[in-house]
Amino acid sequence: MSAIEKLWTVVYTIKEADALTSSKEPCTVTIESVSSMTKDDVDKILRKLDKDERVINLINVPDSWSVIKPSNDPDAYKYVMGVLPTFQKFFEDTYRRYHQGIHKLGTKNFLAIHELVLDIEQEIEMTNSNEVTVNVLNRVVRFPILFPKDSRYFRDEYCDLRIKSAEYLKRQGAIKSCEVIENQGSGWDAKLKIEFDAFAFDGFADKTKARYKEEFSSQSSDGRKAEAVDIPEEKTMSVEKHDTTSAKVNFDPKASVLSFGEKTCDIPDETLEYYLCKLAFKNRRAAVKEIDILEHSTKSQDSKRPVYDAVLRVNKKASEKLGIPKLFYYKAAKIRMMKQYQQ
């Protein structure tokens, strides 16, 4: 469990226990309700909530999590605390930090945050200070989905998302503060002054890079290879990026053929690849379970990871024959179609 997962587990447990407790009595949390964590972690978090955050008043901490034996003291195996009025706001802040984690963000919001992280990281390399400045409107935009074409509307939208991304980094503890510095001229010339702690920022940057590598690899969020978009000066706003991925990927189960625009590729009939495509295209937005694919196939499998290998084979064919970098991805015994092809 990550640090935020552990914190959320304890805070949520306190919230639930307090809801069932009379306002005149202290709140009690049983050992069983936090048994997924070590006693040391629970103790540290509760003491932090007591001494640092000052949202609870800790009264009792169990001495041991060993097998419970009869005792004259019913609270010997319980955490006992008073829940202070400041707890509610802390609960809401923790809820947002946990449920707005980097892996829960939508594609566009994630890529906006990832781009800002990369820009900050680039500036950090050239300074020995804990402050850097980055442009609100980048001269070069890494991901076309953030800036489909050059217009006033998309410039304003990009800048707004950029500022929101900085605020997100602050809420997540990746940076200490962010300030918009207005320059002369339009708001497009503004800069973001970022104050950071190197250790906290590096840890968060690693998480964004891990998600990007896992989900996007060598392609951009809209299915094209990652590319930079050069934004012209205000007087020459005329550059447009043309969408080359308007065609829809389809699978014909009767002909056992994958198609993308005018391009096609054959999928061997009655194979794992065939049933993978058939089930995936039945509901493009739903995950296909590995076991369901195996149940449909009557052929014996020599591989120890037959479905995973089938995904690789389909992706290879789609890349070579259709020009699609990656059609499916495999995770936790489930297969999903890449988001840009789910429509």
Side-chain angles (χ1 to χ4, degrees):
M1 296 175 69
S2 64
I4 185 60
E5 287 175 319
K6 292 176 182 178
L7 177 62
W8 171 246
T9 297
V10 174
V11 170
Y12 179 78
T13 302
I14 295 172
K15 178 71 173 178
E16 289 289 284
D18 186 51
L20 300 175
T21 303
S22 167
S23 60
K24 297 181 180 180
E25 297 177 355
C27 175
T28 60
V29 172
T30 63
I31 289 175
E32 291 81 0
S33 61
V34 285
S35 59
S36 60
M37 297 171 55
T38 66
K39 180 179 185 299
D40 186 52
D41 282 343
V42 177
D43 287 359
K44 286 179 179 178
I45 291 173
L46 288 175
R47 288 192 169 92
K48 181 177 179 64
L49 297 182
D50 179 14
K51 303 298 183 183
D52 296 344
E53 305 297 341
R54 299 188 179 184
V55 294
I56 65 170
N57 178 22
L58 193 57
I59 299 171
N60 181 73
V61 174
D63 293 330
S64 173
W65 280 22
S66 59
V67 178
I68 298 176
K69 298 178 182 179
S71 171
N72 293 327
D73 182 3
D75 290 333
Y77 303 99
K78 295 179 181 178
Y79 290 95
V80 184
M81 67 202 74
V83 179
L84 304 180
T86 51
F87 178 82
Q88 180 59 31
K89 184 178 184 306
F90 184 83
F91 172 83
E92 293 172 358
D93 291 343
T94 307
Y95 175 89
R96 281 191 289 270
R97 284 184 60 196
Y98 176 72
H99 287 281
Q100 294 177 359
I102 199 68
H103 282 278
K104 297 179 180 290
L105 295 174
T107 297
K108 187 173 182 179
N109 288 335
F110 165 72
L111 289 175
I113 290 165
H114 183 51
E115 182 182 60
L116 179 57
V117 166
L118 295 177
D119 290 342
I120 295 172
E121 194 171 55
Q122 183 174 298
E123 292 299 318
I124 289 175
E125 291 177 355
M126 303 299 292
T127 183
N128 60 357
S129 170
N130 284 92
E131 280 189 2
V132 295
T133 58
V134 296
N135 293 328
V136 173
L137 178 64
N138 254 354
R139 175 66 181 171
V140 175
V141 180
R142 289 178 172 85
F143 308 111
I145 192 176
L146 303 178
F147 201 88
K149 65 178 181 179
D150 192 21
S151 69
R152 290 181 177 275
Y153 172 81
F154 284 115
R155 287 191 177 208
D156 289 341
E157 183 185 62
Y158 178 86
C159 291
D160 182 58
L161 189 55
R162 186 87 158 169
I163 294 170
K164 288 179 179 177
S165 296
E167 292 169 348
Y168 174 90
L169 294 183
K170 181 181 177 182
R171 290 197 304 272
Q172 292 294 316
I175 61 176
K176 290 183 178 179
S177 65
C178 58
E179 179 185 354
V180 179
I181 304 173
E182 297 285 355
N183 292 336
Q184 291 184 349
S186 71
W188 299 333
D189 295 324
K191 292 184 178 294
L192 283 168
K193 183 169 75 173
I194 306 290
E195 183 185 5
F196 64 93
D197 173 83
F199 181 79
F201 177 79
D202 287 347
F204 186 85
D206 288 342
K207 292 179 182 178
T208 69
K209 291 174 184 177
R211 176 176 171 182
Y212 183 80
K213 182 178 180 180
E214 176 186 337
E215 292 189 24
F216 304 99
S217 185
S218 62
Q219 68 183 58
S220 72
S221 62
D222 59 1
R224 289 169 282 185
K225 290 184 178 179
E227 55 184 307
V229 182
D230 191 11
I231 302 177
E233 296 297 330
E234 180 181 353
K235 294 181 180 179
T236 58
M237 293 192 295
S238 58
V239 176
E240 291 192 12
K241 294 200 64 63
H242 298 286
D243 190 2
T244 60
T245 61
S246 59
K248 186 175 182 179
V249 186
N250 288 299
F251 178 69
D252 183 347
K254 292 183 179 180
S256 194
V257 170
L258 267 175
S259 62
F260 185 51
E262 297 180 355
K263 299 179 181 179
T264 63
C265 72
D266 295 329
I267 299 295
D269 195 18
E270 300 298 321
T271 60
L272 288 176
E273 295 97 297
Y274 171 84
Y275 289 107
L276 162 61
C277 292
K278 183 178 180 179
L279 293 174
F281 279 89
K282 187 176 182 180
N283 185 347
R284 295 169 182 260
R285 297 186 179 183
V288 180
K289 295 180 181 179
E290 182 180 61
I291 190 172
D292 290 340
I293 297 173
L294 290 171
E295 285 178 355
H296 279 77
S297 177
T298 58
K299 294 184 178 181
S300 61
Q301 305 298 330
D302 296 329
S303 173
K304 292 183 179 179
R305 50 177 194 176
V307 175
Y308 178 79
D309 290 340
V311 171
L312 295 182
R313 289 193 292 270
V314 172
N315 282 342
K316 183 178 180 181
K317 280 199 170 188
S319 176
E320 294 175 350
K321 302 292 185 180
L322 307 180
I324 297 174
K326 188 176 182 181
L327 180 56
F328 298 113
Y329 68 94
Y330 178 102
K331 184 177 181 182
K334 293 181 180 180
I335 300 88
R336 292 184 183 274
M337 192 179 298
M338 298 298 290
K339 289 184 179 179
Q340 58 268 26
Y341 304 118
Q342 291 178 6
Q343 301 301 321

